[in-house]
């Protein structure tokens, strides 16, 4: 089942004239023609149309969505909503009404919410934004919400899940009509709470429009997506859209970085602040603060003390290792509490949260004769620093990293990633991530430029493609006591090369290589040197 097919099984027919009136739309159809039309769904994708849908044709980077309207109508769309430029492209049967709005992209979410009866109003809703930690925090929040809500939904980068049913997610935040349909389906199945990741792209492109979240959360802001946002100021401005009265009722903001502090100061909704770095001066002014932490080591989470607004200290646990996950857990606890969960119940639920796919995921357990094998989604400079610093204390031997960088994305971070890896890891295997339309070798070359700044002689640095072979080579180089960490793709089930999506997953490759006996095969028993 595709995300767009996850719709309520009992949709309500909504009269098209009422929709036109509700949103002050311009129509080319007569009142008599409109009167006979009912709408039961909304989509912006012509290949996901179901009978009775309103198709929204929005401007695209290469083609206007209105050019796909004939196919949408053939598939069962009963009307088309677009802008004036899109309407000028249409040549549809006279019985298909065309509705015109100035910004159909911004209107797609509110219209879909109206069609589905505003499902978010009957759910407790949480949205998590930020550069790093969105997925982990979302899962922690969902675990805490389940302490008070028997059935919940969680939507994000890894999956779209309602109760126990889940499918792969196509992106961090689904398109606005899909979000509204998922909310309606969750409500139909008895869910009472939903948590979603809100990416900066989604906020800029109005994918969350039409939902007024009960709580908005902010993790941090680090370099990423500058190919889309232009610069950090533009990136910040799009993240801040979530903290507006039209989008959220209240917010919880981590103030460990300057962006969090700026957001807390300028947000137009009530905000609680959380400081998660012990000893940080920001803690003195924060509503909630981590005032003590024991960072967990091999296979163990971290314990920490969270001080509340009334000065009371609360003992808490992050089930995942590393300082970054103390931050994620503390934020999740405060968010869940803001969403109505008892504080002690939220703390307990987060401490027992399940492992999160592709986030410091232990794929190969450390054992005699073999290394620890981890998969982590770290794909930004700051996330890579946090991942490697978290893994170093649990690595008695060498830290071996397999990594790359995405194509058609922020090119400036590639040498930065290389320099970080060269500084914090012992053995580097540079490979491909999602090259997309770029030449993979050019991406690797940019990474190696950064590596050379730290290691001019490229000692213990290898360039290997394809990615699966790079993972095998890393395991062949690894010995007992080493840690192999594969970063950049995490849970992702595909790899995009030259516009083609190939089924691929880092975890599957690691497990297969272990089963094949690859571990340590590059070393001799006598000398300990590469064979």
């Amino acid at each position: 089942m595709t995300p767009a097919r996850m719709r309520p099984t009992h949709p309500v027919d909504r009269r098209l004239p009422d929709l036109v009136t509700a949103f002050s739309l311009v129509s080319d159809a007569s009142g008599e023609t409109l009167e006979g039309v009912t709408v039961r769904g909304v989509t912006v994708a012509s290949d996901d149309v179901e009978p009775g849908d309103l198709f929204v044709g929005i401007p695209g980077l290469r083609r206007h969505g209105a050019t796909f309207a004939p196919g949408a109508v053939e598939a069962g769309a009963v009307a088309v909503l677009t802008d004036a430029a899109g309407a000028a492209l249409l040549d549809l049967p006279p019985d298909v009404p065309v509705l015109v709005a100035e910004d159909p992209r911004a209107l797609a979410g509110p219209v879909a919410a109206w069609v589905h009866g505003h499902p978010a109003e009957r759910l407790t809703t949480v949205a998590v934004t930020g550069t790093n930690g969105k997925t982990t925090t979302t899962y922690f929040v969902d675990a805490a919400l389940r302490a008070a809500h028997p059935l919940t939904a969680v939507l994000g980068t890894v999956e779209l899940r309602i109760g126990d049913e889940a499918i792969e997610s196509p992106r961090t935040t689904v398109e606005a009509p899909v979000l509204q349909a998922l909310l309606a389906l969750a409500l139909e199945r008895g869910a009472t709470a939903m948590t979603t990741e809100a990416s900066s792209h989604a906020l800029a492109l109005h994918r969350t429009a039409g939902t007024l979240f009960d709580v908005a959360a902010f993790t941090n802001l680090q370099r990423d997506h500058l190919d889309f946002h232009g610069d950090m100021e533009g990136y910040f401005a799009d993240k801040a859209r979530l903290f507006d009265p039209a989008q959220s009722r209240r917010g919880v903001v981590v103030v460990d970085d300057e962006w969090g502090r700026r957001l807390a100061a300028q947000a137009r909704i009530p905000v609680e602040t959380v400081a998660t770095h012990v000893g940080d001066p920001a803690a003195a002014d924060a509503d909630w603060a981590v005032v003590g932490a024991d960072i967990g080591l091999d296979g163990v989470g971290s314990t920490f003390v969270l001080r509340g607004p009334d000065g009371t200290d609360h003992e808490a646990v992050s089930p995942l290792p590393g300082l970054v996950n103390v931050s994620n857990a503390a934020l999740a606890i405060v968010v869940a509490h803001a969403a109505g969960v008892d504080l002690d119940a939220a703390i307990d639920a987060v401490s027992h949260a399940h492992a999160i796919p592709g986030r410091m995921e232990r794929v190969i357990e450390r054992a005699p004769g073999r290394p620890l094998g981890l998969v982590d989604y770290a794909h930004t400079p700051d996330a890579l620093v946090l991942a490697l610093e978290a893994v170093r204390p649990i690595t008695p031997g060498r830290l071996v990293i397999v990594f790359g960088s995405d194509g058609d994305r922020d090119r400036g971070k590639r040498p930065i990633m290389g320099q970080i890896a060269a500084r914090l890891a012992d053995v580097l295997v540079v490979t491909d991530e999602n090259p997309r339309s770029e030449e993979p070798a050019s991406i690797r070359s940019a990474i190696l430029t950064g590596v050379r700044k730290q290691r001019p002689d490229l000692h213990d640095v290898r360039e290997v493609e394809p990615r699966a072979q790079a993972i095998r080579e890393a395991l062949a180089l690894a010995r007992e006591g080493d840690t192999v960490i594969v970063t950049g793709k995490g849970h992702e089930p595909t790899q995009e090369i030259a516009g083609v999506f190939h089924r691929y997953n880092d975890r599957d490759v690691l497990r297969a290589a272990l089963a094949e006996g690859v571990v340590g095969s590059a070393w001799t028993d006598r000398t300990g040197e590469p064979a």
Side-chain angles (χ1 to χ4, degrees), residues 474-486:
L475 284 177
L477 291 168
R479 296 170 291 190
E480 181 178 335
D482 291 348
T483 294
V484 175
I485 181 168
V486 184

Side-chain angles (χ1 to χ4, degrees), residues 113-131:
W114 183 88
V115 168
H116 291 295
H118 299 285
E121 294 180 358
R122 288 165 284 166
L123 295 163
T124 296
T125 54
V126 172
V128 181
T129 197
T131 304

Side-chain angles (χ1 to χ4, degrees), residues 282-349:
D285 298 321
D287 299 308
W288 300 79
V290 174
V291 295
D294 182 9
I295 305 304
L297 298 180
D298 203 1
V300 181
S302 303
T303 60
F304 62 97
V305 177
L306 181 63
R307 179 164 296 167
D310 63 356
T312 302
D313 288 347
H314 305 272
E315 300 236 351
V317 173
S318 163
L320 297 179
L323 179 61
V324 64
N325 287 308
V326 169
S327 178
N328 295 333
L331 174 59
I333 290 166
V334 177
V335 167
H337 185 50
V341 179
D342 174 78
L343 182 58
D344 289 336
I347 290 171
D348 181 67

Side-chain angles (χ1 to χ4, degrees), residues 363-364 373-375 471 475 486 506-514:
V363 180
I364 299 175
L374 301 171
V375 168
I471 291 175
L475 284 177
V486 184
D506 284 340
R507 294 170 294 181
D508 294 342
V509 175
L510 271 172
R511 293 187 184 111
L514 178 66

